[in-house]
Amino acid sequence: QTSYAWFLGPISKAARHVTSMPFFSWVNEQSAVAAFKPVATQVYYHSLSLPRAIGLMLSVVPNDRSELFQPLTKHAYEEADHHLLLVEWMIRHCLIQSRSDIYETAPTVETSSCINIAYEIAMARDCDLWITCMNSAIELCFFNFFCALAPKMRELGAAHRYFDVHVEADAEHSTMGLKFLSCAKEGSPRSEHLKYAALNSISLWASMAHSWIGISVLPKFNLDGDILS
């Protein structure tokens, strides 16, 4: 991915900053599976919404961007049952008795805001924003999330395919589609806009993750991926 170093460098740096924030420390400190019920409940809403959002994006891809049909379809297919795998895990470890229990807790404002990014981009029919924000930024954050969660669940005796499959899948998703960017010239106004939007997506993802454990944060990044606040 050296051709996209101008983009992936700052995005990766910003995502690494997030892994040093309190949410990831909280994950490492937990000693009981039950502590993850609020996190799993909120992740369910994201997992449930993502295939729909990808489908919406797929349905509005312009004719001259039809090369995106394949990666979008592949992504939707791979995400289609992930929310069900999460429910299976939650029931197995007595976090819920049935899927309906999840709906007793509403998504946080931050979870809803992060989910809505996908729908807003799809309605704007902006393929490049989808690639940079949804794939490269948010999927990279989820890759880091599952890289922390998968070993923690093994440590707690609660390993499950749901966590392990995301470590591999989200690594691929985070670079999926970059070769299809219509404007990938370093330093151009459009490229800078895409990078700015992707960094904002990472800010929202961080805010979302922290809302799951009752912490209110909103980190901001400059265009080099360095944290400002």
Side-chain angles (χ1 to χ4, degrees), residues 160-208:
H160 192 275
R161 177 170 170 259
Y162 175 77
F163 301 100
D164 295 330
V165 74
H166 278 90
V167 174
E168 179 179 348
D170 288 345
E172 178 186 1
H173 294 161
S174 66
T175 57
M176 182 183 287
L178 279 175
K179 66 181 179 180
F180 299 121
L181 282 177
S182 65
C183 178
K185 184 178 180 181
E186 181 177 1
S188 71
R190 175 62 170 166
S191 294
E192 293 297 281
H193 171 71
L194 294 173
K195 184 162 57 174
Y196 177 77
L199 289 165
N200 282 348
S201 297
I202 293 174
S203 295
L204 285 176
W205 188 94
S207 180
M208 174 181 70

